[in-house]
Amino acid sequence: MLIFDNVTFQYEVEDFSIIDHLSFHITEGEFVSIIGPSGCGKSTVFRLVNRLLEPKSGRILVGGKSIDSQKQSFGYMPQQDMLFPWRSVARNVRLPLEIRGGFSNSEMDRRVEQTLTAVGLENWGGKSPKELSGGMRQRAAFARTVLTGSNLLLLDEPFSALDYLTRLTMREWLLKQWERERKTVFFITHDVEEALFLSSRVLAAEGPPITHLRSFEVPAGYPRTTGTLQEPAILSLKEQLIAMLRRDMP
Ligand code: ADP
Ligand code: MG
């Protein structure tokens, strides 16, 4: 679904390549998290996939094709929900359909309605984003991301600004959406527990620079409960990942 082939990227103001000959891949339908210390270059990886940045060398493929040849953007959900305050919730969620084009108004209304219902916001379409709680806003942002029609969802720390209990609820909620939508999810977090709870595989980044990602299969099936995190195999992987991340601290 996603392939990085020897990708190097450098910000102009920096004197080193923050992504340095990086190769990895994600298979269709996987839920893969990337964890790593803050500032190591995780969001940069997403910006490269979304063509907000261009690699200095190497190739990035989505669905077997180079991203250079693709006009479509992939579903991208940043840390801040980025809902437009002057648009109602429904009109925010509808935006990707307007951008994609070719949908009648009634078709757009129908899809928005259906997606809002799926994320538990069926009566909230007419409200302004500021009338929603933080968790509801992230659900609306997720609905908008799904309506991009992309089979690859890039979620960049979507829950990190939420309070602890909302975050726990949103994790369970996201897994339900994933089981229903069957999209490939690439998820950034700095929270080891969150990565273990959600993912089928965890990619651990060290750096900067990011030269490679160490891949760890999460030894648990789905569905998951909070009890999953207490299983011995998960606890031992958690210790291992935390020890790895701490090694990078000054
Ligand atoms: P992460 O998401 O892992 O926290 P980022 O990918 O956002 O890290 O950024 C990694 C590093 O790249 C930052 O520490 C910063 O030094 C540098 N960086 C990020 N954005 C820019 C930019 N627009 N211009 C120059 N340097 C940047
Ligand atoms: Mg980031």
Side-chain angles (χ1 to χ4, degrees), residues 124-135:
W124 294 84
K127 306 274 187 203
S128 143
K130 66 173 187 297
E131 294 176 83
L132 273 57
S133 70

Side-chain angles (χ1 to χ4, degrees), residues 140-185:
F142 183 80
R144 186 174 61 179
T145 307
V146 166
L147 284 180
T148 58
S150 171
N151 288 323
L152 174 63
L153 302 183
L154 307 168
L155 309 181
D156 191 348
E157 308 208 30
F159 307 146
S160 63
L162 302 176
D163 64 82
Y164 182 68
L165 285 176
T166 309
R167 209 153 72 220
L168 293 186
T169 310
M170 289 299 290
R171 286 175 193 170
E172 291 168 7
W173 177 86
L174 178 61
L175 275 189
K176 284 209 191 81
Q177 303 299 309
W178 176 63
E179 284 166 35
R180 192 171 52 84
E181 298 277 342
R182 307 218 156 262
K183 310 249 187 197
T184 309
V185 177

Side-chain angles (χ1 to χ4, degrees), residues 9 11-14 16 18-19 36-45 47 53 156-157 188 208 210:
F9 171 80
Y11 286 109
E12 251 172 51
V13 294
E14 306 268 18
F16 69 104
I18 180 145
I19 309 292
S38 159
C40 74
K42 303 181 296 297
S43 296
T44 304
V45 169
R47 290 182 207 122
L53 299 172
D156 191 348
E157 308 208 30
I188 292 182
I210 299 184

Side-chain angles (χ1 to χ4, degrees), residues 13 24 27 31 39 42 52-53 76 84 93 103 114 122 126 128 133 135 144 164 171 178 181 202 220 222 232:
V13 294
F24 70 93
T27 306
F31 194 127
K42 303 181 296 297
L52 296 172
L53 299 172
Y76 179 46
F84 296 112
V93 170
F103 299 99
Q114 190 182 46
E122 54 271 37
S128 143
S133 70
R144 186 174 61 179
Y164 182 68
R171 286 175 193 170
W178 176 63
E181 298 277 342
V202 175
Y222 295 94

